[in-house]
Amino acid sequence: MDFLIPFTTSGSLVDCVDKKLLVVLRDGRKLHGVLRSYDQFANLVLEDTVERVYHGSAYGQTRHGVFLIRGENVVLLGEVDLDLEDDVPLQQVNLEQLLPFYHQENEERKVREAHKAKVLYDQKGFSKEGGEGDGY
Amino acid sequence: MLPLSLLNAAQNKPMLVELKNGETFNGHLVNCDNFMNITLREVYQTSADGDRFWKLKECYIRGSTIKYLRVPDALLDSVKEDQNRARDASRRGGPGGGRGSSRGGPSRGRGRGRGA
């Protein structure tokens, strides 16, 4: 099993090179792009990147081009199955139409999370979340 | 082409840098190092909520505060060309030039077999 060890951390990304990936960042952003390169910190180079925002079963996207992502901001990445991608029951809509709903949903989530954190802290003896305000 | 080599190759190119706190910096890369510390010139700084702007002659950004950088699309292609040129040049320089191409090993399996 020794030969597996170098490929359990960022080395396992070797199979993802030149594949289309979904990358989720700590701030909740979802980026779709082709992985061109990475290093031992899992810093990533994505080509032809688009950022997608989702609301319900609709999504909108903006083109961003080449991204160099600092690895520590990545929550997860996964290969996109190009055959199954077309079957996903999501509908692409104009980003401008979607953004108001997206922002509203975000605001509501923020309020909900704040309330939850308050209850946990005040009544349940939990400590407060880290200052960054994200769930990861 | 490692991510940090790409950054090195992006010197004097325009780029957008977003910090972890959401602030963005638009400018031309002056210099960078292996910690991803960078200096930019002719910078437009934008606050995280996107409603305030500053213009800076030059600025230094500590690598650890960076979320991501956006570089020009053309950069990847030009870097690939440079690499090819360098490889051809080292080939013409005689055998033994360039680096070995045996990456990974044989039978590099994924996961483990049943009952292993």
Side-chain angles (χ1 to χ4, degrees):
Chain A
M1 292 293 283
D2 280 351
F3 61 87
L4 282 179
I5 290 170
F7 295 98
T8 49
T9 53
S10 68
S12 60
L13 294 178
V14 70
D15 298 338
C16 297
V17 172
D18 295 336
K19 301 278 196 329
K20 187 176 175 187
L21 297 188
L22 162 66
V23 178
V24 180
L25 302 185
R26 274 163 57 97
D27 62 5
R29 264 185 250 211
K30 284 134 193 116
L31 303 172
H32 293 242
V34 180
L35 182 70
R36 291 303 184 195
S37 165
Y38 66 92
D39 62 17
Q40 73 269 38
F41 306 115
N43 295 327
L44 309 174
V45 176
L46 292 183
E47 192 178 15
D48 295 326
T49 313
V50 295
E51 177 180 350
R52 283 190 183 174
V53 298
Y54 295 88
H55 177 79
S57 62
Y59 71 89
Q61 65 182 30
T62 42
R63 229 196 83 77
H64 283 317
V66 179
F67 256 78
L68 199 165
I69 305 170
R70 194 175 161 89
E72 54 180 322
N73 301 294
V74 175
V75 175
L76 66 88
L77 54 91
E79 190 181 333
V80 176
D81 189 319
L82 295 175
D83 297 326
L84 295 178
E85 192 184 16
D86 302 330
D87 303 336
V88 175
L90 289 171
Q91 186 198 3
Q92 183 172 357
V93 299
N94 194 316
L95 183 69
E96 274 67 40
Q97 291 176 335
L98 195 68
L99 277 180
F101 297 103
Y102 175 70
H103 289 312
Q104 187 192 348
E105 188 183 343
N106 265 350
E107 289 306 315
E108 287 168 3
R109 180 185 301 123
K110 229 182 265 176
V111 171
R112 230 174 22 244
E113 292 296 323
H115 180 250
K116 199 174 2 178
K118 187 169 161 46
V119 170
L120 286 175
Y121 181 72
D122 291 345
Q123 303 169 19
K124 305 291 181 186
F126 278 71
S127 65
K128 281 191 168 143
E129 282 280 335
E132 290 201 61
D134 57 27
Y136 304 112
Chain B
M1 182 47 120
L2 295 171
L4 286 171
S5 327
L6 186 75
L7 187 59
N8 254 312
Q11 281 184 20
N12 296 317
K13 298 280 190 305
M15 59 172 56
L16 178 149
V17 182
E18 179 160 331
L19 305 189
K20 288 173 185 169
N21 66 13
E23 287 178 40
T24 60
F25 293 78
N26 269 292
H28 284 71
L29 183 65
V30 176
N31 216 333
C32 62
D33 66 14
N34 286 340
F35 297 114
M36 212 185 274
N37 300 326
I38 58 173
T39 49
L40 299 173
R41 63 176 158 81
E42 306 298 332
V43 189
Y44 288 97
Q45 179 184 359
T46 310
S47 64
D49 41 19
D51 61 359
R52 280 171 299 161
F53 304 89
W54 296 267
K55 188 174 187 318
L56 315 169
K57 196 93 194 127
E58 186 157 311
C59 81
Y60 168 83
I61 300 173
R62 185 178 155 94
S64 66
T65 65
I66 294 173
K67 188 188 294 173
Y68 62 76
L69 310 106
R70 280 179 56 192
V71 295
D73 285 4
L75 184 65
L76 269 187
D77 298 327
S78 73
V79 162
K80 264 175 222 155
E81 272 172 35
D82 287 350
Q83 271 181 334
N84 288 342
R85 258 202 300 277
R87 199 186 51 217
D88 293 346
S90 70
R91 267 199 199 138
R92 274 196 299 276
R99 297 196 296 160
S101 63
S102 63
R103 292 182 59 186
S107 73
R108 183 167 45 74
R110 308 298 313 278
R112 46 180 202 176
R114 231 169 243 280

